[in-house]
């Protein structure tokens, strides 16, 4: 605990010496060694290549080129982007009513309801993803339900091992990530503002489009970045729920390169577009104050 | 520099001053909060820093306590240079504006905290905590949490917590700000008594002029990071030296006036209405210049009611009565003077059924030249 | 943003407007959507048949019996608990130091530090996973072990502690520290006697969340694990061989444990706020 000594300056009034560096040395050192440097080195891998089982450290752009030209990578990339976009938009649509309801309409047991929304976030992601496998499978709950109730006669195989299945699962597992920031920002919207808009003759939809939507943009963006980024990088759901040809997402392919395929440079190159897109979204979100914390 | 007339606590003149500030300045970035303050506070004195919000009172106090370090200048306590000594090494204790009681400790533990830090043995500690709580008239709350006390009680705990250490200097930053009027008045007197009883030097910050007048041995009126005037309450009230001080403390009439020349211990001048008045020249008033004369409304009477023989050579001004406002203890009359100005008169309501003059009528008012002061600027 | 926000504090409920029915209905459906899979898992963990079909034919506790006799599961639980405790402890130290520095000092680059600390949770987990994998095995030439998992977990858990503790610190008036110094306490004593007791519930709440996150994590863990398996990895491995009701039982236990932990964390947060 080298940093303890640093606390000697904690109540440092302006004018007395001592800064935060001794306190921050340990955490920043950790982040540097165990996150930022590994991340940078990973990106460097993208410019290397594999020679049988060893890594050839001569500079090459082959991997990067492969990502955009060699089948199936471009298609997978586009499929992943579309999936992430669809999931994000769906979660926005699902999250808005319940966030609004929680923030503005619920009068009793609000904390409890909020807890209920947050809890799935903390319950195992794997458990929730695999629950969908149980539900969507060919002999699964949904199919046997549809058959016993006579809605269908044959089991529908399109649920599992399909893009539909992945889409449903993604929408479910990431939903709390959208509700939470949205609720937080809606909760802070003063009711008077909405009343004011109503007084000025704005009807429900106009109020929504002109007042609520713009003001909740930071929350929406924060949630969207999370959902988009989580979908882009996931390989658990694709492998559990997807898995048939034509359903691969980029996360699964990256995981393969670092696993069975053992082609780290290609894996690193495939991560580049993911990173670029997520960081791009972060920058956009940041411009709209989505990441902004109260700075003092 | 004038030291308080009374020096309670039986100290002798040979003692060093309790606190000395020498050319103390403090800037935050390029903003100057305290712009060169010189101040000497005597042993056991009750000194108040008074001024409008943002004038640098708290900053000055915090530099004495060691929570801020001066950008330049020196702070001495009991004759010793404070340099950049941290708060925990200064013989000073502070009562904070929001009390800053430790929420997770009982009242007893709060009060004992300072004694514990200075290594007072347990038995002594308990006795002194009890004594301190008795001193602030708050027995039997030792085991409660601060949150279980009323605002006034919390305030007393904060006082006890500071006093229990027998500091030679006690700093108080608007300690009564959060209390209601009645409690505040009671606490003002109590604080004054405590100051006499424990003999510690009190430096008290407030922006409430009435509070300052009630409690202080001396008042330092501050504005924009400077001390404008330092003196006993009567002196500050009766002989304000600047328009700011006169205006900030109590209500004042300002009369613009062209100087005619000295007249005994007074200076004579002519008002816009052509009347000649005299006033005490607290600042220089060269003939031919324009000065501002200040006089308190309660010092002005209606000529007809002025005390007979005494008022022979009083200043007299005639004008039109424009307003009569009944204010309980007194009635406020506003007389418009020829030219621009006006003069406000406070007329004590001594008897029921007195007939008030009616508005519109011509009225002559009178005041003693000794109660009129020439102001700087 | 992100789960780092833990549980937001609701504003006091003011007078609310009309409640449109569709809004309430939509919200209830959303709740059902959120909980349906969890309910399914819990329900089918008691199902007597091996196939998860509807309707449930009968009920049994066999799967739990099997589960509790399964030595591999117990090993995995112990292993995950160990990982969670160590990772959360490291995160507590890193996070508390960071939060304290961010709250008590003025300096440039605060947003940058917040961003850096939050990155592992904002960027997809797979990035953290493969970056550390490449770093440990490729660059440093180390073998994967429990320590590589712990380092990975501590890295993404730190932000939880930072946010929890920073929120609490920002509620504490600075004058408490000053009062303590004024009464003769050195800064170290002030931290020990005043600041730390006051932020302790927030640290505990954050630590519990960090433990929960670590206990449930799979995306990063997958790349960093050596021979020993965490509970999610064990389940993951078995899932690939097909769904068995025993896994439903294990999942139910995991859900319950998470629930208890989240409630505990919530309780500590409340406690720190009412102090
Ligand atoms: N830490 C700081 N950083 C920057 N400016 C400061 C700081 N502390 C005080 N100031 C500024 O210095 C000036 C004087 O502040 P100070 O707190 O001393 O005023 P005050 O006389 O106590 O006022 P009040 O009656 O409102 O408490 C103010 O303008 C304030 O904004
Ligand atoms: Mg102040």
């Amino acid at each position: 605990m080298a940093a303890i000594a640093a606390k000697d300056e904690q109540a440092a009034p302006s004018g007395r010496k001592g800064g935060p560096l001794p306190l921050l040395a340990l955490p920043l050192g950790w982040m540097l060694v165990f996150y930022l440097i590994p991340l940078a080195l990973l990106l460097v891998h993208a410019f290397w290549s594999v020679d049988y089982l060893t890594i050839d450290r001569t500079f090459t752009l082959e991997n990067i080129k492969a990502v955009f030209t060699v089948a199936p990578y471009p298609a997978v990339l586009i499929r992943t982007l579309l999936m992430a976009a669809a999931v994000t938009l769906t979660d926005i649509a699902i999250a808005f009513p319940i966030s609004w309801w929680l923030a503005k309409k619920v009068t009793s047991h609000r904390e409890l309801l909020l807890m209920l929304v947050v809890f799935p976030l903390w319950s195992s992601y794997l458990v929730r993803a695999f629950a969908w496998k149980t539900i969507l499978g060919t002999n699964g709950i949904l199919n046997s339900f549809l058959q016993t109730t006579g809605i269908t006669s044959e089991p529908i195989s399109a649920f599992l091992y399909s893009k539909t299945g992945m889409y449903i699962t993604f929408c479910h597992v990431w939903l709390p990530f959208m509700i939470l920031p949205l609720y937080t920002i809606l909760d802070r919207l003063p009711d008077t503002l909405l009343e004011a808009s109503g007084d000025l003759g704005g009807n429900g939809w106009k109020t929504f489009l002109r007042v609520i939507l713009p003001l909740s943009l930071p929350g929406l963006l924060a949630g969207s970045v999370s959902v988009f980024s989580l979908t882009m990088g996931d390989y658990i759901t694709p492998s559990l729920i997807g898995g048939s040809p034509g359903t691969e997402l980029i996360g699964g392919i990256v995981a393969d390169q670092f696993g069975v395929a053992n082609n780290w440079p290609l894996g690193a190159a495939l991560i580049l577009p993911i990173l670029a897109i997520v960081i791009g979204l972060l920058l956009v979100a940041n411009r709209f104050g989505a990441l902004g914390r109260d700075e003092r | 520099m004038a030291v308080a007339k009374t020096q309670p606590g039986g100290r002798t003149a040979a003692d060093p001053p309790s606190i000395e500030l020498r050319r103390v300045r403090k800037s935050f970035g390029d903003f100057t909060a305290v712009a060169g303050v010189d101040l000497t506070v005597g042993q056991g004195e009750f000194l108040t820093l008074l001024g409008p919000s943002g004038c640098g009172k708290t900053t000055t106090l915090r530099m004495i306590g060691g929570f801020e370090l001066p950008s330049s200048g020196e702070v001495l306590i009991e004759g010793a240079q404070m340099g950049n000594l941290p708060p925990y090494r200064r013989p000073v204790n502070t009562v904070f504006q929001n009390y800053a009681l430790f929420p997770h400790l009982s009242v007893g533990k709060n009060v004992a905290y300072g004694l514990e830090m200075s290594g007072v043995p347990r038995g002594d500690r308990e006795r002194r905590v009890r004594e301190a709580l008795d001193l602030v008239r708050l027995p039997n709350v030792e085991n409660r949490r601060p949150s279980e006390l009323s605002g006034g009680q919390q305030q007393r705990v904060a006082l006890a917590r500071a006093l229990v250490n027998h500091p030679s200097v006690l700093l108080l930053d608007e300690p009564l700000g959060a209390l209601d009027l009645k409690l505040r008045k009671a606490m003002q007197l109590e604080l004054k008594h405590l100051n006499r009883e424990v003999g510690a030097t009190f430096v008290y910050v407030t922006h409430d002029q009435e509070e300052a007048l009630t409690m202080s041995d001396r008042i330092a009126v501050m504005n924009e990071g400077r001390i404008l005037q330092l003196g006993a309450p009567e002196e500050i009230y009766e002989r304000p030296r600047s328009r700011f001080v006169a205006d900030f403390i109590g209500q004042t009439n300002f009369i613009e006036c062209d100087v005619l020349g000295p007249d005994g211990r007074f200076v004579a001048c002519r008002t816009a209405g052509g009347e000649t008045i005299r006033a005490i020249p607290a600042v220089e008033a060269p003939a031919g210049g324009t000065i501002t004369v200040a006089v308190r409304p309660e010092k002005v009477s209606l000529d007809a009611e002025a005390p007979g023989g005494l008022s022979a050579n009083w200043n007299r001004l005639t004008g039109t009565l424009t307003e009569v406002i009944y204010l309980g203890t007194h009635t406020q009359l506003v007389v418009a003077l020829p030219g621009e100005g006006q003069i406000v008169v406070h007329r004590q309501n001594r008897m029921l059924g007195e007939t008030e003059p009616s508005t519109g009528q011509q009225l002559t008012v009178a005041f003693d030249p000794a109660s009129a002061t020439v102001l700087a600027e | 943003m992100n789960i780092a926000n833990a549980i937001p504090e609701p504003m006091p409920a003011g007078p609310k407007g009309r409640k449109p029915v569709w809004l309430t209905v939509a919200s209830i459906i959303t709740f059902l959507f959120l909980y349906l899979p969890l309910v399914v898992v819990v329900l089918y963990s008691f199902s007597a048949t091996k196939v998860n079909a509807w309707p449930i034919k009968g009920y049994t506790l066999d799967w739990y019996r099997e589960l509790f006799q399964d030595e591999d599961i117990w090993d995995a639980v112990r292993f995950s608990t160990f990982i969670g405790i160590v990772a959360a402890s490291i995160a507590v130290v890193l996070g508390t130091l960071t939060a304290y520095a961010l709250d008590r000092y003025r300096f440039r680059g605060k947003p940058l530090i917040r961003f850096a600390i939050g990155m592992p949770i904002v960027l997809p987990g797979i990035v953290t996973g493969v970056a550390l994998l490449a770093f440990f095995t490729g660059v440093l030439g180390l073998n994967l072990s429990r320590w590589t998992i712990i380092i990975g977990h501590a890295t993404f858990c730190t932000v939880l502690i930072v946010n929890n503790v920073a929120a609490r610190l920002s509620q504490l008036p600075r004058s408490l520290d000053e009062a303590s110094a004024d009464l003769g306490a050195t800064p170290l004593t002030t931290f020990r006697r005043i600041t730390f007791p006051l932020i302790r519930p927030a640290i505990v709440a954050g630590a519990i969340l960090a433990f929960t996150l670590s206990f449930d994590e799979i995306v990063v863990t997958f790349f960093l694990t050596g021979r020993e398996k965490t509970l999610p990895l064990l389940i993951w491995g078995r899932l690939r061989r097909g769904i068995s009701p025993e896994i439903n039982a294990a999942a139910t236990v995991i859900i319950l444990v998470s629930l208890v932990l989240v409630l505990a964390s919530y309780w500590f947060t409340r406690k720190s706020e009412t102090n």
Side-chain angles (χ1 to χ4, degrees):
Chain A
M1 297 276 292
I4 280 295
K7 290 190 180 124
D8 227 68
E9 273 102 31
Q10 55 142 330
S14 58
R16 199 164 283 149
K17 284 205 171 57
L21 213 61
L23 286 169
L24 285 173
L26 191 58
L28 289 189
W30 180 285
M31 290 312 290
L32 196 67
V33 175
F34 293 128
Y35 194 72
L36 298 174
I37 290 176
L39 197 59
L41 288 174
L42 175 72
L43 299 185
V44 173
H45 271 80
F47 302 97
W48 293 340
S49 56
V50 277
D51 189 5
Y52 294 106
L53 289 176
T54 58
I55 289 177
D56 176 1
R57 299 190 174 179
T58 43
F59 180 86
T60 167
L61 285 174
E62 280 311 305
N63 297 309
I64 312 278
K65 229 193 275 167
V67 170
F68 296 104
T69 52
V70 176
Y73 307 130
V76 171
L77 206 55
I78 288 169
R79 185 184 307 134
T80 309
L81 280 175
L82 290 177
M83 175 66 81
V87 171
T88 306
L89 291 177
T90 311
D91 274 351
I92 289 178
I94 302 177
F96 227 109
I98 191 170
S99 307
W100 182 257
W101 181 72
L102 278 170
K104 296 292 172 210
K105 299 293 171 192
V106 173
T107 42
S108 59
H109 303 295
R110 199 139 65 116
E111 297 204 7
L112 179 75
L113 291 170
L114 201 57
M115 275 286 302
L116 281 176
V117 172
V118 174
F119 172 66
L121 206 73
W122 297 105
S123 68
S124 173
Y125 152 64
L126 178 65
V127 167
R128 286 183 296 141
F130 116 78
W132 282 102
K133 186 165 183 159
T134 330
I135 297 172
L136 300 172
T138 315
N139 300 314
I141 295 156
L142 185 56
N143 268 321
S144 43
F145 175 80
L146 291 177
Q147 282 170 274
T148 44
T149 52
I151 297 175
T152 56
S153 50
E154 295 277 296
I156 300 172
S157 57
F159 294 143
L160 197 58
Y161 309 122
S162 69
K163 283 187 274 187
T164 318
M166 285 198 290
Y167 166 76
I168 295 173
T169 308
F170 278 137
C171 286
H172 171 258
V173 289
W174 309 139
L175 181 57
F177 290 91
M178 185 64 83
I179 297 178
L180 210 54
L182 199 52
Y183 163 81
T184 308
I185 201 119
L186 290 177
D187 190 39
R188 284 194 214 132
L189 280 192
D191 292 348
T192 47
L193 207 73
L194 313 175
E195 283 158 19
S197 169
D199 286 347
L200 297 175
N203 61 21
W205 272 109
K206 265 197 201 132
T207 307
F208 181 78
L209 288 177
R210 299 254 181 90
V211 182
I212 301 169
L213 204 59
L215 286 173
S216 52
L217 203 60
L220 271 183
L221 283 173
S224 300
V225 175
S226 295
V227 172
F228 202 92
S229 154
L230 287 163
T231 313
M232 289 275 297
D234 194 31
Y235 60 88
I236 300 289
T237 295
S239 116
L240 270 178
I241 313 284
S244 58
T247 63
E248 303 95 342
L249 298 186
I250 195 86
I253 297 204
V254 170
D256 283 348
Q257 302 311 315
F258 284 88
V260 283
N262 205 15
N263 187 346
W264 293 7
L266 181 59
L270 286 164
I271 277 183
L272 281 181
I274 304 184
L275 272 184
I277 290 163
V278 171
I279 288 175
L281 285 174
L282 277 174
L283 291 178
V284 172
N286 193 33
R287 275 192 70 97
F288 287 95
L291 316 177
R293 288 244 169 65
D294 34 313
E295 265 315 315
R296 279 173 302 150
Chain B
M1 180 137 287
V3 174
K5 284 170 254 170
T6 48
Q7 286 213 349
R11 317 265 187 150
T12 66
D15 285 334
S18 185
I19 301 169
E20 215 181 325
L21 302 185
R22 294 184 185 153
R23 303 248 182 84
V24 168
R25 294 174 47 88
K26 176 73 188 179
S27 13
F28 298 103
D30 44 9
F31 175 78
T32 304
V34 175
V37 160
D38 280 295
L39 179 67
T40 308
V41 189
Q43 295 290 348
E45 191 180 352
F46 196 123
L47 180 113
T48 298
L49 299 177
L50 174 67
S53 186
C55 71
K57 308 178 295 282
T58 298
T59 307
T60 306
L61 201 73
R62 288 171 61 80
M63 286 192 285
I64 301 174
F67 304 113
E68 305 279 359
L69 294 178
S71 307
S72 67
E74 293 167 355
V75 175
L76 286 82
I77 298 176
E78 302 296 324
Q81 284 275 2
M82 287 297 112
N84 58 4
L85 220 56
Y88 51 92
R89 298 239 177 77
R90 299 192 181 201
V92 172
N93 282 119
T94 306
V95 178
F96 291 84
Q97 176 160 20
N98 59 2
Y99 315 145
L101 298 178
F102 307 129
H104 59 304
L105 301 180
S106 68
V107 167
K109 291 244 173 70
N110 262 280
V111 179
Y113 192 85
L115 297 175
E116 218 177 308
M117 292 304 137
S118 51
V120 175
R122 174 175 293 253
D124 266 6
R125 222 152 64 200
E126 282 168 8
R127 181 179 51 78
R128 281 173 65 176
V129 166
R130 237 173 295 120
E131 280 172 9
L133 285 171
D134 283 346
L135 188 68
V136 296
R137 299 201 281 117
L138 204 63
N140 304 325
V141 296
E142 272 164 75
N143 295 323
R144 288 206 225 157
R145 286 289 174 95
S147 56
E148 295 164 356
L149 301 179
S150 72
Q153 288 173 321
Q154 290 182 21
Q155 213 289 316
R156 286 157 202 256
V157 175
L159 256 178
R161 187 176 69 175
L163 286 172
V164 76
N165 308 294
H166 301 321
S168 56
V169 173
L170 188 67
L171 306 177
L172 304 103
D173 192 355
E174 307 203 26
L176 308 183
L179 305 184
D180 65 53
L181 186 64
K182 204 159 177 177
L183 196 54
R184 200 155 74 214
K185 297 254 182 223
M187 285 302 296
Q188 286 172 5
L189 294 177
E190 270 185 51
L191 278 176
K192 186 72 198 156
H193 285 144
L194 274 175
N195 170 237
R196 297 257 180 272
E197 215 169 311
V198 300
T201 306
F202 279 36
V203 181
Y204 190 93
V205 163
T206 183
H207 58 244
D208 178 340
Q209 39 126 346
E210 216 181 305
E211 196 165 288
L213 292 171
T214 317
M215 307 169 73
S216 322
D217 292 324
R218 283 190 308 158
I219 297 172
V221 183
M222 292 186 69
N223 192 34
E224 293 178 347
R226 285 172 213 283
I227 295 184
L228 296 184
Q229 192 171 353
L230 178 69
E234 312 85 76
E235 199 181 324
I236 299 277
Y237 187 80
E238 305 289 353
R239 293 272 169 263
R241 252 188 280 141
S242 59
R243 193 172 181 128
F244 178 86
V245 175
D247 209 18
F248 188 73
I249 300 176
Q251 212 179 336
T252 309
N253 291 302
F254 297 111
I255 305 164
E256 302 294 327
C257 194
D258 297 323
V259 180
L260 300 172
D263 179 353
R265 65 186 182 107
F266 302 116
V267 62
C269 64
R270 175 166 295 134
T271 66
E275 288 158 310
T276 302
I277 58 172
R278 291 171 306 152
I280 302 266
V283 295
E284 225 163 295
T290 309
I291 54 171
T292 304
V293 171
V295 62
R296 302 280 181 191
E298 74 274 12
K299 297 289 190 324
V300 187
S301 2
L302 301 185
D303 189 27
E305 295 170 356
L310 289 176
S311 64
N313 46 13
W314 280 21
N315 294 322
R316 287 195 164 67
L317 293 169
T318 304
T320 317
L321 184 62
T322 56
E323 255 180 59
V324 179
I325 303 165
Y326 175 76
L327 291 170
T329 59
H330 62 270
T331 299
Q332 173 166 307
L333 308 175
V334 181
V335 178
L337 299 175
E340 292 162 43
Q342 58 173 37
I343 189 162
V344 175
V345 182
H346 285 173
R347 183 172 179 245
Q348 288 296 317
N349 294 324
R350 293 219 179 73
M351 280 173 268
L352 269 177
E354 271 181 305
T355 47
E356 299 288 357
S358 48
T359 53
Q361 87 183 68
Q362 284 293 108
L363 212 58
T364 302
V365 299
F367 55 92
D368 188 346
S371 62
T373 315
V374 177
L375 299 178
E377 286 142 65
Chain C
M1 56 180 278
N2 228 311
I3 58 173
N5 269 341
I7 300 153
E9 196 182 324
M11 304 236 300
K16 299 287 163 174
R18 302 167 289 120
K19 295 181 194 176
V21 179
W22 73 268
L23 204 57
T24 313
V25 172
S27 303
I28 291 170
I29 292 175
T30 309
F31 268 117
L32 288 180
F33 179 58
L34 277 173
Y35 279 89
L36 175 76
L38 296 184
V39 171
V40 161
V41 166
V42 174
L43 223 54
Y44 279 86
S45 73
F46 297 104
S47 164
T49 50
K50 238 183 170 353
V51 200
N52 293 325
W54 199 86
I56 297 178
K57 299 264 163 45
Y59 295 90
T60 175
L61 285 175
D62 285 354
W63 311 118
Y64 286 92
R65 211 164 294 127
E66 239 172 73
L67 180 71
F68 288 116
Q69 284 161 3
D70 189 331
E71 272 311 309
D72 288 352
I73 292 267
W74 281 111
D75 284 345
V77 167
R78 272 189 290 273
F79 187 63
S80 281
T81 309
F82 172 78
I83 300 279
I85 288 174
V86 179
S89 307
I90 295 173
V92 160
V93 174
L94 300 178
T96 307
L97 288 171
T98 311
Y100 196 82
L102 287 175
D103 186 76
R104 295 301 163 98
Y105 292 90
R106 293 163 162 273
F107 55 96
R108 269 175 295 146
K110 274 191 194 187
L112 208 66
I113 289 177
R114 282 182 190 278
F115 183 73
I117 297 277
M119 243 164 103
I121 223 156
V122 176
L123 297 186
I126 192 172
V127 176
T128 314
V130 298
L132 283 177
L133 169 71
F135 181 65
F136 287 133
T137 63
V139 179
L140 299 183
L142 299 174
N143 284 328
L144 294 176
S145 68
R146 50 177 60 193
W147 299 107
T148 50
I149 305 181
I150 286 170
I151 288 172
H153 284 199
T155 303
F156 63 71
C157 283
T158 298
V159 66
L160 291 178
I161 312 282
V162 173
N163 287 353
N164 256 287
V165 176
R168 177 65 185 142
L169 277 171
S170 71
Q171 292 172 348
L172 293 182
R174 193 62 53 90
S175 57
L176 292 182
D177 280 18
E178 294 183 348
S180 173
D182 184 71
L183 294 166
T186 61
L188 195 59
T189 308
T190 298
F191 184 81
R192 210 163 42 76
R193 297 284 305 272
I194 306 299
T195 316
F196 182 70
L198 288 170
I199 61 175
R200 187 168 39 211
I203 294 179
V204 174
I208 294 174
L209 291 183
F211 177 86
T212 315
L213 193 64
S214 160
F215 197 83
D216 285 342
E217 216 287 331
I218 182 157
V219 178
V220 176
T221 320
F222 177 76
F223 293 103
L224 299 180
T225 191
R227 261 168 298 128
E228 295 163 293
K229 293 266 174 286
T230 63
L231 188 56
L233 276 176
L234 184 81
I235 294 178
W236 170 245
R238 294 194 181 180
L239 272 176
R240 300 187 136 182
R241 281 186 267 127
I243 299 174
S244 84
E246 190 190 337
I247 293 181
N248 282 328
T252 304
V253 172
I254 292 183
I255 292 171
L256 269 181
V257 170
S258 302
L259 184 64
V260 169
L261 289 173
V262 170
L263 286 175
S265 163
Y266 179 65
W267 185 78
F268 274 104
T269 306
R270 286 282 298 260
K271 188 177 155 190
S272 91
E273 270 158 14
T274 53
N275 199 328

